[in-house]
Amino acid sequence: MGRAPCCDKTNVKKGPWSPEEDAKLKSYIEQHGTGGNWIALPQKIGLKRCGKSCRLRWLNYLRPNIKHGGFSEEEDNVICSLYLNIGSRWSIIAGQLPGRTDNDIKNYWNTRLKKKLLGRQRKEQQAQARRANSLKQEMKRESCEAFMVSGVINQSPYWSAELPVAVPVMGSTQDPTMEDQAIRSLLIKLGGNFPDNQQPNTTNFQFPIDIISSSQDQLYVNSLSIPTSAAIVNTIDSTCTQFPNMFQRLESFPSELCELGYDNPPQLDGLEGLYEMEMVNASTGTSTSTSGASACWGDINSLVYPPLVSDHYEGCQQGLPQLQDSAFENLRYFAPPQ
DNA sequence: AATTGCCCCAACCGCCTGGTT
DNA sequence: AAACCAGGCGGTTGGGGCAAT
């Protein structure tokens, strides 16, 4: 049995709304509210429209304080950040941008932002390819020299933050500094952890991320800080053992990211790391539980900077439970057992 | 000036979820 | 427990506008 239609399809008007229809709908809702029943609304007003259509028109266009167009750089960053963390959950993303509708953000992403990022990504890739090329040549030269001198080819992997990092084999090198480099690189590729007590300045939050400094305990990657290998290497190692699929997950990014040039899994570039940002939390067990009711996702502000959230914005509040579910679904490969 | 192709966005469609009966 | 229903959501599309030729 198919679903009953929400309205009489043969007797409803479709297509663009006329100013008269807008006025009718707006004045009715302003005076009486929606009455909690969109389906019945058009009949009450005398509009030959589907209830869903009325709802959409109100939410996307007639509702007060709606902003159209003119997305700021900060809004771009918020959208990118959230998209990479939670995917195309437009209503939740819209919840972080008061005055913006999910439809607007969706359109903006599909028509402009994606292309903007794609352009930026191409530039980055070209620059990276150039760097990698010159390093490769340098390595070749050095290897030859070393071979000439010692007669032995150095078998140790060459880790460098400058180079894209393939999935590292933990403990494959005896050199702690090299291993440290590898872990650092991996973590950068995997994304970082927003510390609770350190709300970064969003205006510095850019894509792709860049290392700006490091200390013994933390790497600072723009606004992200990441635990260093000394603190985390054992956890990652055991996680790799327990969850062999962990890194495979990196190959199943949304198709959007593939389009953006992230379809070469070993050569991760930062954006996809942000997408998996909470994975690091999961693997370290710092803030994630597998129950789905974690504080980790309880505050969406931890995923996005600056905190543009309006406390009054209902969409945000409504979206959180679903966000949590979705987030934990995405993290199912990574979450360590309780 | 006319045509073509592309871009953008409003609106629709269909599925999913959660509440109610 | 199952069926029904409305609300909500994300993907997709059609058409208007605009730039290029």
Side-chain angles (χ1 to χ4, degrees):
Chain A
M1 187 178 80
R3 170 177 296 283
C6 64
C7 55
D8 180 6
K9 300 281 183 191
T10 59
N11 200 29
V12 294
K13 189 183 165 196
K14 287 186 184 180
W17 282 63
S18 69
E20 292 76 28
E21 289 175 312
D22 279 348
K24 269 187 181 177
L25 181 61
K26 194 175 181 194
S27 85
Y28 183 88
I29 292 178
E30 280 172 353
Q31 285 175 30
H32 305 97
T34 63
N37 189 348
W38 284 105
I39 301 299
L41 197 66
Q43 284 180 332
K44 288 182 193 167
I45 312 174
L47 280 175
K48 289 195 169 185
R49 289 279 181 176
C50 172
K52 280 186 167 190
S53 181
C54 293
R55 174 183 163 271
L56 223 58
R57 185 64 180 169
W58 170 256
L59 291 176
N60 289 340
Y61 199 81
L62 300 174
R63 184 161 57 104
N65 304 321
I66 293 282
K67 278 191 272 179
H68 289 290
F71 281 80
S72 68
E73 199 67 27
E74 281 194 351
E75 285 175 313
D76 284 2
N77 288 339
V78 171
I79 295 167
C80 289
S81 170
L82 281 172
Y83 184 88
L84 294 167
N85 275 285
I86 65 175
S88 56
R89 309 292 296 270
W90 304 118
S91 60
I92 296 169
I93 295 173
Q96 299 302 299
L97 299 171
R100 299 295 186 186
T101 69
D102 53 354
N103 210 32
D104 253 6
I105 293 168
K106 180 171 58 182
N107 283 332
Y108 182 57
W109 170 266
N110 285 329
T111 58
R112 299 191 200 180
L113 210 44
K114 200 162 65 174
K115 290 169 192 168
K116 191 174 162 184
L117 286 175
L118 181 60
R120 212 182 279 186
Q121 167 62 15
R122 282 197 181 127
K123 277 185 196 165
E124 286 293 324
Q125 280 185 328
Q126 283 166 1
Q128 196 174 53
R130 277 196 296 273
R131 281 202 302 273
N133 238 339
S134 60
L135 273 164
K136 212 195 290 178
Q137 285 176 357
E138 179 78 5
M139 283 169 65
K140 251 187 199 169
R141 195 178 52 78
E142 283 177 3
S143 301
C144 285
E145 283 171 4
F147 184 75
M148 299 278 280
V149 169
S150 66
V152 176
I153 298 174
N154 184 0
Q155 303 267 337
S156 301
Y158 183 90
W159 297 109
S160 165
E162 290 292 321
L163 284 172
V165 177
V167 175
V169 180
M170 298 303 172
S172 63
T173 168
Q174 299 300 310
D175 186 339
T177 50
M178 281 186 182
E179 193 165 67
D180 199 58
Q181 283 276 15
I183 303 298
R184 283 175 184 231
S185 299
L186 172 63
L187 287 171
I188 292 162
K189 302 303 168 188
L190 295 181
N193 179 25
F194 294 112
D196 293 337
N197 57 350
Q198 185 185 343
Q199 293 297 319
N201 180 349
T202 344
T203 52
N204 292 330
F205 192 52
Q206 296 171 348
F207 298 90
I209 56 177
D210 296 304
I211 307 169
I212 56 174
S213 67
S214 66
S215 70
Q216 193 172 2
D217 301 315
Q218 298 281 314
L219 284 179
Y220 296 96
V221 184
N222 274 358
S223 51
L224 312 179
S225 78
I226 298 167
T228 59
S229 61
I232 203 173
V233 61
N234 290 333
T235 314
I236 289 189
D237 206 345
S238 65
T239 306
C240 286
T241 310
Q242 290 171 32
F243 300 95
N245 288 336
M246 179 170 174
F247 292 108
Q248 287 172 16
R249 179 70 175 85
L250 294 174
E251 295 173 24
S252 54
F253 290 130
S255 56
E256 297 286 358
L257 294 178
C258 295
E259 280 177 31
L260 288 170
Y262 300 107
D263 49 358
N264 193 3
Q267 299 193 3
L268 304 175
D269 254 328
L271 275 173
E272 72 285 4
L274 289 169
Y275 182 80
E276 299 296 350
M277 196 173 292
E278 285 300 319
M279 185 174 73
V280 173
N281 285 349
S283 66
T284 60
T286 53
S287 63
T288 304
S289 80
T290 51
S291 68
S294 160
C296 161
W297 290 93
D299 179 8
I300 197 169
N301 293 326
S302 67
L303 300 177
V304 57
Y305 302 93
L308 293 176
V309 191
S310 159
D311 289 335
H312 311 293
Y313 200 69
E314 58 183 355
C316 174
Q317 303 300 324
Q318 291 167 356
L320 283 174
Q322 290 177 340
L323 168 63
Q324 289 171 352
D325 292 342
S326 163
F328 281 94
E329 190 183 318
N330 288 337
L331 291 171
R332 64 190 182 278
Y333 292 117
F334 315 122
Q338 288 286 59

